[in-house]
Every structure is written in C-alpha cells, then in structure tokens.
Amino acid sequence: MDAVLAVEALRDLGGDVAASVGNPHLERTQAWLRDRQNGDGSFPSAEFAYSGAEPTAWALIALHKTTNSRSDEVIEKALRFLENCVDRRDGSVSSTPSHFELPRTMPTAVALWAFSLWDHQPDLRGKMVTYLLRCQDNDSHGWGVTSSARPNPATTGQVIVALRAASVPPQRFRLATEYLVKQQRVTGRWPSSIDEWHTPPDHDAPQPVHKCLNSGSVWCLLALSGSHDHRARSACLRAVRYLLDSQTTTGSGSDEGSWLTSDDGSQRHVWLTAQIVEAVAAWQSGLPRIGLRREGMRLANSVLALVDLMLERATQIALFGVVVAVIALNLGPADANVLERMVGDWAAFRQGLLTSGLSTAIIGAISWGVRGVRNWRARLRQR
C-alpha cells in the first residue's frame, strides 16, 4: 500500500520523474490488494495478529489513488468496518470493533483521513475531529500515542495530516504546527516514535504486544508541506535536505536508494522508503513554480526569519540595550582623555552610545510586546 502511494505520488509530479517510474503494474497490485480483504470488510496486516482499523484505513487511502468509483463494493465494505471501530459517544476509534478501553491516537487519525478522502459519514468525521482536538496536550499542543501519553512529533504529524484532509481550518491546529517546528533537530530530522499496545484477536485470547514504528521525519514533512507559514517552509527544506543526504546512494543490490530506519540501525523497509518518497513528493508539489513567485517566497522567508529572530531574542536585545545605555551614562571626565585618543570627540561618542543603547532597548521592548500579542492571538485562535 505504501508503494502504491509512492508510485502515484511520483507520477503526479509529471515530466521526467513520471517517465522514470515506468509501469510497475499497479492494476495487478490493486487486484492483489482487493483479494486480501476479509469478509467483514477489514484488511490484515503483517505486523498485527489481527485485522484492524489501521491497515483497513491505510488500504482505503491507497485505493483512493487508484479507484475512482465510490460504489465499489470493496470500498463500501471497508468503510462499514471502520464505522464499527468508531465509538459514537466521543468519536474515538479503536483498532478492532467494540474494543474501546483505551483508544489510541493513530487509528482515529488514519480513519478520519480515510473517511475524509471518501467523503464518508460527515457526522462521524465531526465527532472524530472534536475528539482529536480534545486530546491535544494543553502545554506543548502536540499529540501522544494516547490521550494521556507524552506528545511526540510523529503522532502530532499524523493528526495534522488527518485534520488537513478533513478540511479543518489551519488556525485550529496552528500551535501544533509550531510545536513540530520547535521539535525539529539541528540535522533537519524529527525523532521517530514507537506505538505499542495490546489488542487481542478476540477478548478471550492472550494479549500479544503490537508495535508500530512511526517515522517522525515522514509524518512531520507531510504535515507541514504546503503550509504558508515561513517557519514551516524552512523546516520542510531542512527535512528534505536531511532525507536526501541520508539516502543510500551507493552500493549494490536492493540497498541502493533506500533509507535506514535509524542512524545507528541496520534495517531497511519498503514502507519507509515509500513513505519518504511520498513526503518529499508532497513537499515538491507544494512549491511555487520556478520564477518570480519562488524568488519572492525566498526573500519573504529571509525577512520573516529575521523578524522571528528578533521576537525570540526580544528579552536579550532589550537587556543588551539597557547595558549599553548604562555604560554610556557612567562614562565620566576621567575617561575623556582615553576616549579622545580612541574615538576623537568623546562627548559625541558618549551621546551616540547612549542613543544606540536606548534605541536597542526600545526595539527589544517592542519585540517582546509583539511576541506576547502574537502568542495570545495564537492561543485565542486555538480555542
């Protein structure tokens, strides 16, 4: 399913990229995928010991790229199975029907994404959006693997992708995108997370441990691609550079062109390579065409980055200005002879130093006020 999404994403880019993809026989892949559907409409997964909401939603997302008909029986059965996984009281989604003890974030996010793509059950989608927004952490404004878990970038990226697919206004999760930007590492990557849970095939069976590795860089890049916020665009550029630099470009066999699951690991997976391709393609598709618009975006990014730096360093700027002004005020006649030899007219130098210090302090104070107003407005929009 990940490979289908990656190939379709490359084809959507057009030109030489699409030509290099060739014909990987997606029709056969689609037919194979359809044959894997269970009688209840669900799809199995290699990682889980059961068929659940996550692989079923992912199949619906992949089939949306290759199937145009909503009246398709496979699609309808999968959507009905997902409905049975939704707790209609609060909009949360469990991995299996009627297993609502501790709903996790990922099944709700991918189910909302699938429902939105197929324009299915608007009322349920509204409940799912409300549930996800209610589970958002009040301090960091991110999401964790459950409503009570510590927020992480990968899960937050999943939720933002789902909210965007559901056409939720960006203002409602703006603080979450700021959280992602702040969580980016210096190298340009985001940390991955492991979603771990217990869901038995049936309630009487032993409860095996299930694990799902979520790539932080993939989900955050998907979440921020196409954003109009210059900080998000800059974060995406750093992420793309990191991903391209970390790709295995030399070697033999199947390793060439792939990515390692971690910097100190040795495992490679088709799903990871496919998801990275899709994320980079989504970023590429959201860029303006080469020309004045793109150059204007770069200039605007540079100016806004300078403004952001001033706002973030407002306290230090004001403090520096005050220190300079205090130094200027404390320059006395005893320093005149030394200053005369160094700068000429020491009185003019003293006055210039005082003016510069006061101006810097005022700029810092104004920046501090603007930052406070901006943060207050962001929280107001979030509510």
Side-chain angles (χ1 to χ4, degrees), residues 1-10 13 45 47-48 54-55 57-59 61-62 65 106 110 113 153-155 157-158 161 190-193 212-223 225 239-240 243-244 246-247 257-261 268-284:
M1 292 182 287
D2 288 301
V4 168
L5 292 170
V7 170
E8 289 294 346
L10 291 172
L13 291 177
S45 170
E47 290 84 1
F48 314 151
E54 297 92 330
W58 209 241
I61 293 167
K65 286 284 188 178
M106 182 170 67
V110 294
W113 188 4
T155 303
Q158 290 173 350
V161 169
W190 280 276
S192 298
S193 69
C212 180
L213 174 65
N214 297 308
S215 170
S217 296
V218 165
W219 284 107
C220 293
L221 181 56
L222 276 175
S225 291
V240 170
L243 290 172
L244 295 182
S246 60
Q247 185 185 30
S258 64
W259 280 265
L260 290 168
T261 54
R268 303 171 188 269
H269 296 283
V270 172
W271 68 263
L272 178 62
T273 299
Q275 287 184 4
I276 290 175
V277 167
E278 187 188 2
V280 173
W283 168 79
Q284 177 72 26

Side-chain angles (χ1 to χ4, degrees), residues 44-225:
S45 170
E47 290 84 1
F48 314 151
Y50 61 91
S51 300
E54 297 92 330
T56 303
W58 209 241
L60 283 167
I61 293 167
L63 287 171
H64 186 266
K65 286 284 188 178
T66 57
T67 305
N68 297 322
S69 175
R70 167 61 194 273
S71 60
D72 191 311
E73 183 181 359
V74 171
I75 303 301
E76 289 297 333
K77 288 175 64 177
L79 289 171
R80 286 197 298 269
F81 173 82
L82 271 187
E83 283 185 42
N84 294 329
C85 295
V86 181
D87 188 340
R88 296 175 181 268
R89 297 168 299 179
D90 63 3
S92 64
V93 178
S94 64
S95 292
T96 55
S98 304
H99 193 86
F100 303 122
E101 282 79 1
L102 181 60
R104 294 163 32 256
T105 305
M106 182 170 67
T108 307
V110 294
L112 175 60
W113 188 4
F115 277 12
S116 300
L117 289 177
W118 289 103
D119 193 21
H120 185 67
Q121 290 284 6
D123 292 341
L124 276 185
R125 295 204 308 266
K127 288 185 177 181
M128 294 157 75
V129 169
T130 301
Y131 171 78
L132 288 172
L133 292 176
R134 190 169 64 248
C135 292
Q136 188 177 19
D137 181 63
N138 292 327
D139 296 326
S140 67
H141 306 289
W143 280 268
V145 294
T146 66
S147 59
S148 59
R150 182 180 179 180
N152 68 81
T155 303
T156 302
Q158 290 173 350
V159 175
I160 292 177
V161 169
L163 294 178
R164 290 177 59 184
S167 300
V168 175
Q171 293 82 358
R172 299 190 67 182
F173 52 86
R174 178 179 176 181
L175 293 179
T177 61
E178 292 180 4
Y179 163 79
L180 290 187
V181 172
K182 292 176 182 177
Q183 290 296 309
Q184 189 178 33
R185 299 295 188 258
V186 176
T187 58
R189 72 175 185 90
W190 280 276
S192 298
S193 69
I194 295 180
D195 197 348
E196 183 175 300
W197 70 99
H198 301 269
T199 299
D202 59 73
H203 291 281
D204 297 326
Q207 296 194 10
V209 177
H210 305 285
K211 294 183 179 181
C212 180
L213 174 65
N214 297 308
S215 170
S217 296
V218 165
W219 284 107
C220 293
L221 181 56
L222 276 175
L224 298 178
S225 291

Side-chain angles (χ1 to χ4, degrees), residues 233 292-305:
R233 292 199 296 259
L292 291 177
R293 187 180 175 192
R294 179 174 290 191
E295 295 304 319
M297 184 184 75
R298 289 179 178 175
L299 178 60
N301 280 349
S302 300
V303 173
L304 291 172

Side-chain angles (χ1 to χ4, degrees), residues 331-347 350:
L331 289 175
D335 306 303
N337 293 333
V338 177
L339 291 174
E340 288 284 356
R341 291 193 296 269
M342 293 177 60
V343 299
D345 188 350
W346 83 273
R350 179 175 180 270

